[in-house]
Amino acid sequence: MRGQLAKVEESVAFLRNKTEIQSQIGIVLGTGLGGLADRIQAAVVIPYEEIPHFPVSTVSSHLGHLIIGSLGGKKVMALQGRFHYYEGYDPKEITFPIRVMAAMGVKTLLISNAAGGLNLTFEAGDLVLIRDHINLTAHNPLRGENVDEWGPRFPDMTEPYSQELVELAERAAKDLGIKVHQGVYVGVTGPSMETAAETHFLRLIGADTVGMSTIPEVIVAVHAGLRVLGMSVVTNVNDPEDYQPAPIEQVIATAKGAEPRLVQLVEEILKRM
Ligand code: HPA
């Protein structure tokens, strides 16, 4: 972990050399929010390969750029392209960019993903504000020696997703006429999709959506003391009584369809922050 600290510091030194902009808000552009990158008045766009120690994305639907600039009147640092456990990265690699953001002085994290709907009142294309999560990955990025400079050994998880930001997002969505739900996101590792029996189980334990990302990043963000707002695009609804395949093409197409709404909502949230 000490080695990790030195690596983060090297990445920060590299980025500080590129720009003097102090971003307050970090954004993870998951599936469904990639288009937000075009809205950022970018001061600097840096391919991940150039940043010391940054992992490089292997998923073709995810680009790999760090963008620093302005959006909604705020200075933001955005990750276009994220890392998943199923790609073979370990949770510390997945969360490395979050550590870098926190070390760069970011105070708030907006994070998005594509998720399967478990709550049958949700429809494909709906947006969900993440109210809480269930970590079902059996991994934790904080495993190992704690870096006290980063955060406490046993970080509190009473409010991993800022209730204040959820309420702000609710008001913004209402004013824009965009339908949003609130829900509990359960994180699994994938890449195999859930079976019908697993879907039944995930519903029983209180989850509204299921996905293969976000949890590690949020744990690290909370550890680092960041406020978090998480948002999901429901790309498919999984009813265990009428279980249907959710091919990746459909997942991506539905996420793309929802993207303009999510982008509009995020810009409005940023304006109000
Ligand atoms: N399950 C897991 N992850 C997902 C799904 C799903 O149904 N849809 C989008 N990401």
Side-chain angles (χ1 to χ4, degrees), residues 114-117 188 192-194 210-212 233 235-236 238 243 246 251:
V188 295
S192 50
M193 301 295 266
E194 300 72 48
V210 54
M212 303 176 191
V233 175
T235 53
N236 49 286
N238 301 339
Y243 204 46
V251 165

Side-chain angles (χ1 to χ4, degrees), residues 16 20-27 68-71 73-78 101-102 104-110 165 225-228 270 273:
R16 288 233 188 278
E20 290 178 353
I21 295 175
Q22 178 55 56
S23 306
Q24 290 293 315
I25 298 160
I27 307 178
I68 300 175
S70 303
L71 185 68
K74 301 291 184 310
K75 297 277 183 281
V76 300
M77 183 182 294
M101 283 182 163
M104 291 285 288
V106 159
K107 301 290 179 222
T108 303
L109 183 71
L110 307 187
L165 289 181
L226 307 191
R227 290 196 304 171
V228 177
L270 285 169
M273 276 170 63

